[in-house]
């Protein structure tokens, strides 16, 4: 059986700094798309083993609850359920939890993964994994073509650089997911 990855989408968007403080219309959707592009490129041929879960309260109007993006599986939690609730349900339903990695800095989800004997990674663990994977990959055929996405190493460096900001009480509003409610 192939290993699968279950990602807490908005948690990762915030941790990687892929969201602006004052979002313009369409800003959250652009942040989601940037995250999905990053993950699709990073996982490459294994993108189909990745599921990203987002809260529905942040979904654009009319968006289908289940989507795909360059092989990635995208789920929007039902309006009466949080992404964390849906992720816990998916962890519980996993028939082979030893082949599942849950990616979130949320302690609740990390505990749920451990309870079911699944792997639990922080965002830092994900970036380390992607960096090692990139280093082991053969060079791309079109090496002269630059990607406008950050490498996992760059992303990890920026994440470490801005990590103290998440604990700054004056910036608490920036890291408050509920401020994006409709």
């Amino acid at each position: 059986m192939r290993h699968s990855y279950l990602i807490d989408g908005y948690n990762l968007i915030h941790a990687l700094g892929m969201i602006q403080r004052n979002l313009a219309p369409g800003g959250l959707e652009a942040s989601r798309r940037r995250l999905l592009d990053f993950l699709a490129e990073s996982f490459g041929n294994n993108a189909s083993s990745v599921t990203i879960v987002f809260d529905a309260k942040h979904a654009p109007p009319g968006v289908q609850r289940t989507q795909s993006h360059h092989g990635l599986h995208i789920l929007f939690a039902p309006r009466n359920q949080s992404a964390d609730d849906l992720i816990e349900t998916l962890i519980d339903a996993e028939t082979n939890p030893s082949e599942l990695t849950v990616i979130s800095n949320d302690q609740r989800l990390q505990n749920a993964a451990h309870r079911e004997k699944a792997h639990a990674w922080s965002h830092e663990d994900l970036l380390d994994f992607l960096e090692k994977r990139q280093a082991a990959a053969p060079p791309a055929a079109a090496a002269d073509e630059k990607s406008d996405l950050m490498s996992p190493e760059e992303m990890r460096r920026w994440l470490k650089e801005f990590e103290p900001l998440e604990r700054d009480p004056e910036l608490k509003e920036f890291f408050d997911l509920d401020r994006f409610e409709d």
Side-chain angles (χ1 to χ4, degrees), residues 61-82:
V63 163
Q64 294 179 2
R65 295 220 176 275
T66 303
Q67 301 176 10
S68 67
H69 179 83
H70 299 293
L72 300 168
H73 303 281
I74 299 121
L75 301 176
F76 284 94
R79 291 209 181 273
N80 62 346
Q81 188 180 39
S82 71

Side-chain angles (χ1 to χ4, degrees), residues 5-179:
Y5 303 87
L6 185 56
I7 299 175
D8 185 351
Y10 288 124
N11 188 268
L12 185 58
I13 282 176
H14 280 277
L16 298 181
M18 291 183 162
I19 196 162
Q20 304 162 349
R21 183 178 178 129
N22 297 314
L23 286 176
L28 189 56
E29 188 173 343
S31 295
R32 268 194 310 271
R33 191 172 32 257
R34 208 164 34 161
L35 174 68
L36 296 175
D37 288 343
F38 169 74
L39 291 171
E41 182 175 308
S42 297
F43 278 93
N45 293 336
N46 293 323
S48 64
S49 66
V50 179
T51 300
I52 304 100
V53 180
F54 295 105
D55 285 306
K57 63 185 173 186
H58 303 300
V63 163
Q64 294 179 2
R65 295 220 176 275
T66 303
Q67 301 176 10
S68 67
H69 179 83
H70 299 293
L72 300 168
H73 303 281
I74 299 121
L75 301 176
F76 284 94
R79 291 209 181 273
N80 62 346
Q81 188 180 39
S82 71
D84 290 359
D85 294 337
L86 178 55
I87 290 170
E88 277 196 274
T89 300
L90 293 170
I91 294 169
D92 291 343
E94 179 61 44
T95 57
N96 195 0
S98 65
E99 294 295 320
L100 173 66
T101 298
V102 178
I103 301 161
S104 177
N105 280 1
D106 186 313
Q107 195 61 48
R108 170 185 168 189
L109 296 179
Q110 295 232 343
N111 290 339
H114 289 299
R115 252 191 330 272
E116 297 298 321
K117 308 289 189 249
H119 303 275
W121 283 359
S122 68
H123 303 126
E124 195 65 30
D125 294 331
L126 171 65
L127 293 174
D128 286 344
F129 167 77
L130 294 175
E131 185 178 332
K132 287 175 190 166
R133 186 183 153 95
Q134 183 180 12
D144 57 353
E145 290 182 28
K146 294 259 183 184
S147 169
D148 46 346
L149 297 177
M150 284 189 244
S151 70
E153 180 180 314
E154 257 183 313
M155 190 69 73
R156 192 174 65 194
R157 189 173 50 239
W158 282 112
L159 180 60
K160 193 175 221 87
E161 177 75 23
F162 290 103
E163 184 178 31
L165 295 178
E166 188 172 7
R167 292 183 290 279
D168 186 330
E170 291 184 21
L171 297 175
K172 184 179 184 332
E173 175 188 321
F174 175 71
F175 293 97
D176 181 11
L177 288 175
D178 293 335
R179 74 184 187 90

